[in-house]
Amino acid sequence: MDNPALVDVTRGSVTESVHRGSIAIVDTAGKPVCEIGNVEARVFPRSAIKALQALPLVESGAADALDLSDAELALACASHSGEEVHANSARVMLMKAGLSEDDLECGPQWPQRMEDAAKLILADETPCGLHNNCSGKHAGFLGLAKVMGVDTKGYVDAGHPVQREIKLVMEQLTGDTLSEDVCGTDGCSIPTYATPLQKFARAFAAFGTGEGLEPQRADAAQRLYDACINEPYMVAGADRFCTKVMEGFRGRVFVKTGAEGVFCGSVPELGFGIALKCDDGATRAAEVMMATVLEALLELNEDEAALLDGLVNPPILTRRGIQAGHIRPRQDFLAALKAALP
């Protein structure tokens, strides 16, 4: 059975496109709070779980050994836009480990914003691994390898000690068995494991609250959570959904996007974890889905309500900036949330 249609894209008064998807909201006991669509189907989380992949960096003591700042820890959890501040911070992280951009195995990527790409072109430069949206995560992996005393070469391979450690953490947090038959290769060359949304939501409920985690892991999760909400610009960048939400909610929520329409989040005050996927991989719809969930879950002040209103109902604009339509949640999606949430 197909997942339900959750988001409409309109032009004028006509629905032009429809996005289907699935959503899991789970509490710290692992109990489903709201399930929409097939939340048991295996989904590659892509970059939405970077904060969980950064846990070994902190709980091992490597972050302290390398004297990583909040901004650098946030970058380790980031899918950044490749702005100068992101690339420079990744470079510093590598320097602290006695390494350089040549040690990165994530591959080069052009910055997301035209102005940042233009700076490279005008300087007669091309992008390198530092500009890759995953460079902070990879700098964290390399720092962990250095402190562990293992070879930094091949740190992206599934059999490398760093990736084995991350896999173990993911299995413990999700309660899933991550076998080879559900393993793929992410865009930055590391292993990615397909797991049901409900299990990712369970992991992020624990990440945001520390409940059910051993003290050392709970402390590591809290440190990464705080780093991301203190330095949200490092998690994404200018005019990005994750940065806007974490800046606007000032510690109330953690959100993280991933490729192919995946999003994960934590709402500590409610003890909830969230995981969702837009079936066709559209970020525009995944963002509306996450914003709609947050709007339904939280009591909002005036500023928070205004922020979410723009994210729940973003306009479709012409090339001249004239509004031609909306991206918006379907009424039956809103009704399903209202019926399921306490």
Side-chain angles (χ1 to χ4, degrees), residues 18-54:
V18 175
H19 296 283
R20 297 180 179 274
S22 49
I23 301 172
I25 306 173
V26 174
D27 67 17
T28 53
K31 179 181 177 182
V33 175
C34 178
E35 294 182 340
I36 297 174
N38 184 1
V39 299
E40 297 181 359
R42 288 189 176 272
V43 169
F44 285 115
R46 307 299 298 274
S47 291
I49 59 164
K50 284 180 176 174
L52 307 184
Q53 293 170 323

Side-chain angles (χ1 to χ4, degrees), residues 12 14 114 143 283 293:
V14 177
M114 186 177 296
T283 297
V293 168

Side-chain angles (χ1 to χ4, degrees), residues 54-249:
L55 282 168
L57 174 66
V58 178
E59 64 185 14
S60 68
D64 286 332
L66 298 169
D67 193 28
L68 296 183
S69 66
D70 268 6
E72 290 159 350
L73 287 175
L75 195 72
C77 304
S79 296
H80 61 74
S81 299
E83 299 170 43
E84 191 171 3
V85 65
H86 300 127
N88 286 341
S89 294
R91 182 182 287 109
V92 171
M93 290 176 70
L94 291 167
M95 290 172 62
K96 287 182 176 182
L99 301 168
S100 74
E101 64 193 66
D102 293 335
D103 294 291
L104 291 171
E105 297 180 14
C106 52
Q109 181 181 8
W110 281 100
Q112 181 168 319
R113 299 193 309 167
M114 186 177 296
E115 53 262 52
D116 296 307
K119 288 179 182 178
L120 291 177
I121 294 169
L122 290 171
D124 197 25
E125 297 178 0
T126 56
C128 66
L130 295 171
H131 300 98
N132 188 302
N133 81 92
C134 299
S135 65
K137 176 179 73 174
H138 281 248
F141 291 163
L142 282 163
L144 176 59
K146 210 54 191 304
V147 174
M148 289 173 67
V150 299
D151 192 356
T152 57
K153 298 291 185 184
Y155 70 89
V156 298
D157 297 335
H160 190 276
V162 166
Q163 297 303 327
R164 291 204 305 265
E165 186 66 27
I166 291 166
K167 178 185 173 184
L168 177 62
V169 169
M170 292 303 304
E171 287 183 325
Q172 292 169 340
L173 287 170
T174 62
D176 195 19
T177 299
L178 305 182
S179 55
E180 287 187 11
D181 61 322
V182 296
C183 181
T185 303
D186 214 329
C188 65
S189 298
I190 69 164
T192 180
Y193 296 90
T195 295
L197 285 177
Q198 59 185 194
K199 294 184 180 294
F200 289 128
R202 168 189 168 181
F204 275 93
F207 174 79
T209 63
E211 291 191 28
L213 302 181
E214 294 181 359
Q216 187 174 5
R217 179 158 296 168
D219 288 346
Q222 185 66 58
R223 185 170 173 187
L224 288 168
Y225 185 100
D226 290 345
C228 290
I229 64 170
N230 289 337
E231 299 284 352
Y233 199 94
M234 302 305 290
V235 178
D239 200 32
R240 295 281 302 279
F241 182 97
C242 295
T243 294
K244 289 178 181 177
V245 170
M246 288 192 284
E247 281 181 346
F249 279 86

Side-chain angles (χ1 to χ4, degrees), residues 284-305:
R284 67 179 186 180
E287 290 179 348
V288 168
M289 290 161 63
M290 178 59 84
T292 302
V293 168
L294 294 176
E295 188 175 59
L297 285 176
L298 295 165
E299 293 186 11
L300 307 172
N301 63 33
E302 186 175 341
D303 290 340
E304 292 165 346

